[in-house]
Amino acid sequence: MIGSPDNATWQRAMKFAIRDSLRLCQALGIDPNELPVSESGERQFPVFVPLEFLARMKHGDPFDPLLLQVIPRSGENIVSPDFTSDPVGDNIVEMAPGLLHKYIGRVLLIVSGACAVHCRYCFRRHYPYSTAPKSIDHWLPALEYIRSDASIHEVILSGGDPLTVADPQLSQLVELLGDIPHLTRLRIHTRVPVVIPQRVDANLCAWLERSRLAKWVVLHINHAQEIDSSVVAAIHRLKATGTTVLNQSVLLRDVNDNIKTLQELCEQLVDIGVMPYYLHQLDRVDGASHFESDPILGLSLVEELAKRLPGYAVPRYVSEIAGEPNKTPVALSALSHLP
Ligand SMILES: *Cc1c(COP(=O)(O)O)cnc(C)c1O
Ligand code: SF4
């Protein structure tokens, strides 16, 4: 096991992250030819894996479900006309820098292009994202847009990952959002508490707790093996601020598209007080086709989950269809949109 000291700051964890597939394979005692690794995939979207996440992978297992999410494999070289660089059409709804207003009553604010881990199936792989904005000025037009539309009640901080932004900027942003009277809810979509749990520190908890807004955090966990005791502790710290914690997963071939893995994930989540919210059908991102599971399989898995688990432990199985006014439930009748 390769770990890092518990008291290391999250900024140090980012700094010491593994940034190439060879080192990743070496650290795990794996021959890169076993996968094999895709060099062109890696050039397009570099490897980025903090040691905290690496520590939860199994040594010597080239098919470890955490490793498969972060290592560029030859499947990334597959070219398919159905897989594009902007499958959800986000480019068309930007109302102010970083602000997407696609859904009624809620807006999505992209506060950072940076992430604490690079997931190979993510649409992010096609954007030349820079690092986090340096000052609040960057968000002023978005704040003005939100202030001028009283139908907006919820702001979703997204990215990239919003928790890669430092607390002074984030707390200032959240304070300014709290000053907008018609806002009632703040939502944060983040994978950071899972990848670098020490990010949920006293500073973060302090500004979260201070906000008058109802606070929702949506985590992104795809496999129960991602949850260790440090992640559980981070989630408990989050919940202690009065935040409701949900999880979304992506259905990923060979990672979690079997009943045993999904059931284990959902049960572990509810046992630590996190509600499984969404199970996403993969967005058809160029270079990620090897992660796609058949939606017929997905439907049967969710049906089986519903038989085995309490209703609150069963996520909604959805897909994002460009131009639709909300996430679309995957249903047999709608499969003409899908593969
Ligand atoms: C998913 C998403 C939301 C939030 O959708 P919910 O169904 O409320 O979770 C908002 N804006 C965008 C652009 C989204 O992709
Ligand atoms: S946005 Fe989320 S899914 Fe995409 S690379 Fe970042 S952490 Fe991974």
Side-chain angles (χ1 to χ4, degrees):
M1 298 270 281
I2 308 120
S4 67
D6 280 347
N7 60 358
T9 64
W10 68 272
Q11 287 96 340
R12 277 175 68 87
M14 293 286 280
K15 192 169 155 206
F16 289 115
I18 291 190
R19 291 156 197 265
D20 72 83
S21 58
L22 264 182
R23 265 201 65 211
L24 185 54
C25 288
Q26 275 166 6
L28 291 167
I30 287 166
D31 177 355
N33 296 319
E34 268 183 274
L35 286 152
V37 163
S38 162
E39 283 168 28
S40 61
E42 182 160 4
R43 272 195 303 275
Q44 184 183 69
F45 187 39
V47 165
F48 193 90
V49 185
L51 300 179
E52 285 75 1
F53 197 66
L54 176 75
R56 289 167 240 160
M57 297 176 191
K58 201 148 106 240
H59 197 86
D61 181 4
F63 305 110
D64 180 273
L66 276 54
L67 175 65
L68 291 184
Q69 294 181 56
V70 298
I71 192 148
R73 282 179 287 160
S74 57
E76 295 193 11
N77 308 343
I78 299 167
V79 178
S80 158
D82 297 329
F83 287 71
T84 64
S85 59
D86 184 23
V88 295
D90 276 346
N91 292 340
I92 41 180
V93 284
E94 196 163 342
M95 302 302 182
L99 192 88
L100 308 187
H101 192 181
K102 190 152 99 174
Y103 294 168
I104 294 170
R106 53 232 197 269
V107 291
L108 197 126
L109 183 58
I110 296 174
V111 296
S112 167
C115 285
V117 64
H118 287 182
C119 312
R120 308 309 302 178
Y121 42 84
C122 183
F123 63 85
R124 252 197 103 244
R125 60 181 297 134
H126 294 289
Y127 293 102
Y129 275 135
S130 57
T131 47
K134 299 258 180 309
S135 88
I136 200 82
D137 297 354
H138 181 83
W139 296 312
L140 289 179
L143 284 161
E144 202 37 58
Y145 179 90
I146 297 164
R147 211 188 322 273
S148 68
D149 184 345
S151 75
I152 301 169
H153 300 302
E154 173 169 348
V155 171
I156 305 168
L157 304 184
S158 183
D161 200 306
L163 294 189
T164 56
V165 178
D167 287 318
Q169 282 101 299
L170 269 186
S171 62
Q172 205 187 347
L173 174 65
V174 167
E175 206 173 303
L176 290 171
L177 289 171
D179 290 341
I180 300 174
H182 50 266
L183 282 187
T184 57
R185 297 182 300 272
L186 171 73
R187 193 190 326 178
I188 301 175
H189 281 187
T190 177
R191 193 150 160 68
V192 174
V194 183
V195 180
I196 306 176
Q198 66 265 39
R199 174 67 184 92
V200 186
D201 58 13
N203 284 331
L204 182 147
C205 290
W207 62 254
L208 250 186
E209 190 158 17
R210 222 170 27 238
S211 176
R212 70 161 179 94
L213 301 166
K215 291 154 298 224
W216 296 74
V217 163
V218 182
L219 299 173
H220 173 186
I221 304 174
N222 297 318
H223 194 288
Q225 198 182 311
E226 292 172 43
I227 306 169
D228 69 359
S229 58
S230 61
V231 174
V232 174
I235 289 169
H236 284 157
R237 291 195 294 277
L238 266 182
K239 287 167 67 85
T241 68
T243 301
T244 306
V245 184
L246 310 177
N247 183 66
Q248 50 186 344
S249 306
V250 183
L251 186 66
L252 298 168
R253 190 156 99 210
D254 301 334
V255 172
N256 63 7
D257 65 343
N258 64 80
I259 188 65
K260 180 175 171 288
T261 300
L262 281 183
Q263 179 175 353
E264 212 169 274
L265 172 63
C266 292
E267 284 194 292
Q268 282 215 29
L269 287 170
V270 295
D271 286 347
I272 59 172
V274 176
M275 194 161 149
Y277 177 39
Y278 280 142
L279 175 65
H280 290 270
Q281 177 66 20
L282 184 84
D283 291 332
R284 300 191 108 184
V285 179
D286 185 32
S289 62
H290 56 305
F291 282 110
E292 187 172 66
S293 293
D294 189 330
I296 303 275
L297 171 65
L299 275 171
S300 72
L301 289 170
V302 175
E303 219 170 274
E304 188 58 31
L305 283 179
K307 284 186 197 145
R308 299 183 182 197
L309 298 177
Y312 58 78
V314 182
R316 277 168 251 189
Y317 183 32
V318 294
S319 73
E320 180 104 26
I321 297 166
E324 289 289 312
N326 48 256
K327 302 252 188 298
T328 309
V330 178
L332 274 180
S333 57
L335 284 185
S336 57
H337 293 283
L338 292 163

